[in-house]
Amino acid sequence: MKLVLNTFFSFFLVSTLFGQQYRVLPIESYFKDISFFTDSSFTPIFPVSDNQVNYYNTTKEQKLRYATVGHYIYQREIIQVIKKEGAIWASPILDIQSGVERGDTAMSQYLNVRGLRIEGSMKNKVFFSGSFYENQAVLPYYAQQYVTNRGEFYPNSSDSSYHQVNAVIPGSARTKPFKTNGFDYAYATGMVQWQVLKSLSVSAGNNPIFVGSGYRSMLYSDNSLPTMNFRVNYTLGKKWNFQLIRLQGLNLLRVPYASNGEALYERKALSIGSIYFQATEHLRIGLIEGGTWTRGDSIQKQAVEGGFYIPIPGAATIQEGINGKSYAYLGLDLNWRVWKVLLYGQYGRNPYSKSSDVGQIGIRYWPFKSPNYLVHVEYNHTSSNAYKSSNPRINYSNFNLPIGHPMGAGVDEVIIRLRAEWNHLFVSSSTNYYLNQSDNYRQLLPVYEAASGTNQQVLYETFELGYNFNHGYGLEIFGSAKLRMVKNPLQNEQSYWFNLGIRTALNNHYFDF
């Protein structure tokens, strides 16, 4: 018995000593919430590395557990080998929940997400990760309408029009049918990041990206599907950070002539450029430019414009002014840490369009010296013409989904998030109140359509009670109650749901609208 305990504590000590292996955090909200608690002065373009935000040390449970099962469940990942030369980790991806909808409709619903995330580090220089997701879902009616209205387009043989099929799940993948009213979808993400110098890293993969300090991002969010990207991150001294991100985008429009078994989608290009300045120890200000770039249409392909390769913010803005072959969003992003409070905000607009403004202001407050207690309030605004290009092929979107706010233009939203956890038991609530929201779920599609939609007010409320086993990757069991109320000139209705489930914090689904 003594030998077993000595072996266990030796392994635990080795894991602790070498636990600072280079590691990049997942991008989901659970990880962002705790990252901002650490008070690290980091550039808020996610994913970020653990040596910037000290996530795993912050969440590591200090309580000693002598049982092997308890140690595995509470204090480590399923596979975890950490040595001087490198490390490897493996974690399950779960979001399995089932419930019933009541109110104006009465139907069962469920979400069944299973997968695996594998990560590795080599000599504190190279980090790699890969995740695979297999999913089936039966969604509430309003969410069904959102995802089916974002489905892929096939050309009609009789004319130049299109017909729409299947659906697209925010942050996940396009779908195929499942039973009578469900969705089946699978996808994989991965990345490799190389810390070339202490001040320089490069990465490539199809990992999701998020810009900002809020729950939403008005400038670039992970609402659309993961896409191939290349990123350069360079820090100059203690004050300046420069980032260049170039991505391959898609419009889910099938080209009319296929040279293989299945027609390809129309391509476009996406870009992010940023310059952040650390004005004081706790104040960071960033200039951000997001851009979409034409690569032709279904008939004629073309190379991306040369300005795409300019490595500073402003490239898309210049190109749009020259020939309109890009669409740009210029913006400011800032956060300021004061005591236990993080104040943050964003502002952006297209320089050539009226009523294209987007904005955000928010506050994160930790009442105690623990990331387990959070008060989070945020206000988001998008004007009536936000994210819309005169050429719908280069709307500020990807895979038929907005890459800013998930509801696109014409939004005024208040978010209130509360969470408290004691001895692994947690309670949380989330309120999304839309003073203004369009019921047109076809915004920003890459086809010409007449503008339509009714303005409505929406209240979406979620309350959860559960038990968090492992803070490293957010393994939880939970029960939830959700309420959605909608009021517009044509309807005044409400629905509510009760769900039970188990999940890890390794995937996001945005249906809070």
Side-chain angles (χ1 to χ4, degrees), residues 421-469:
E421 181 178 327
W422 180 79
N423 199 24
H424 294 278
L425 290 169
F426 74 87
V427 59
S428 68
S429 72
S430 178
T431 302
N432 300 73
Y433 177 57
Y434 290 85
L435 292 82
N436 293 293
Q437 181 199 98
S438 173
D439 67 352
N440 178 11
Y441 292 159
R442 301 181 65 80
Q443 287 190 48
L444 307 183
L445 292 176
V447 294
Y448 289 97
E449 290 192 349
S452 63
T454 301
N455 187 63
Q456 60 187 15
Q457 292 78 49
V458 176
L459 173 65
Y460 187 91
E461 179 73 38
T462 301
F463 177 82
E464 291 188 343
L465 180 66
Y467 187 89
N468 189 316
F469 290 95

Side-chain angles (χ1 to χ4, degrees), residues 146-382:
Y146 182 94
V147 300
T148 55
N149 276 283
R150 305 288 184 177
E152 59 187 314
F153 289 90
Y154 279 82
N156 294 316
S157 57
S158 58
D159 54 32
S160 58
S161 63
Y162 292 88
H163 65 277
Q164 197 171 23
V165 297
N166 299 325
V168 180
I169 307 295
S172 300
R174 66 183 181 93
T175 71
K176 59 183 179 182
F178 175 68
K179 296 185 176 179
T180 57
N181 60 344
F183 304 95
D184 191 337
Y185 53 104
Y187 64 104
T189 64
M191 69 171 295
V192 176
Q193 183 160 309
W194 176 28
Q195 193 70 35
V196 183
L197 303 168
K198 185 177 181 180
S199 59
L200 173 66
S201 68
V202 296
S203 63
N206 73 330
N207 53 290
I209 292 170
F210 185 97
V211 176
S213 306
Y215 175 73
R216 309 281 194 205
S217 175
M218 299 293 100
L219 300 176
Y220 202 99
S221 79
D222 56 341
N223 180 70
S224 69
L225 275 56
T227 188
M228 291 299 300
N229 64 81
F230 175 76
R231 177 180 180 183
V232 178
N233 185 345
Y234 176 66
T235 300
L236 179 61
K238 296 182 179 180
K239 295 287 187 180
W240 295 94
N241 176 268
F242 303 85
Q243 296 201 37
L244 167 76
I245 307 175
R246 296 295 182 262
L247 310 95
Q248 175 182 286
L250 289 176
N251 292 320
L252 295 190
L253 293 168
R254 297 283 187 179
V255 298
Y257 306 106
S259 58
N260 50 25
E262 187 176 43
L264 301 176
Y265 294 121
E266 284 187 11
R267 292 186 177 184
K268 63 181 178 182
L270 310 173
S271 63
I272 305 172
S274 71
I275 300 175
Y276 275 87
F277 175 61
Q278 188 81 29
T280 69
E281 181 182 0
H282 300 298
L283 174 62
R284 185 174 288 267
I285 304 171
L287 172 65
I288 310 291
E289 185 198 54
T292 53
W293 304 70
T294 182
R295 296 189 63 184
D297 54 29
S298 60
I299 304 299
Q300 183 177 3
K301 297 180 181 179
Q302 69 177 54
V304 67
E305 296 292 316
F308 180 76
Y309 302 100
I310 298 175
I312 56 173
T317 302
I318 295 171
Q319 193 70 57
E320 183 177 359
I322 293 173
N323 58 14
K325 292 188 176 182
S326 67
Y327 178 75
Y329 249 85
L330 276 175
L332 291 174
D333 178 71
L334 64 88
N335 65 38
W336 183 28
R337 182 67 177 255
V338 183
W339 189 50
K340 298 178 181 179
V341 172
L342 180 72
L343 303 171
Y344 64 89
Q346 289 184 334
Y347 173 77
R349 67 169 299 160
N350 175 266
Y352 306 102
S353 302
K354 295 181 179 179
S355 301
S356 62
D357 305 78
V358 300
Q360 176 185 87
I361 186 169
I363 178 173
R364 294 175 181 266
Y365 171 57
W366 297 271
F368 307 105
K369 294 182 179 180
S370 168
N372 296 331
Y373 300 87
L374 173 66
V375 178
H376 187 185
V377 181
E378 179 175 298
Y379 170 72
N380 299 310
H381 168 79
T382 64

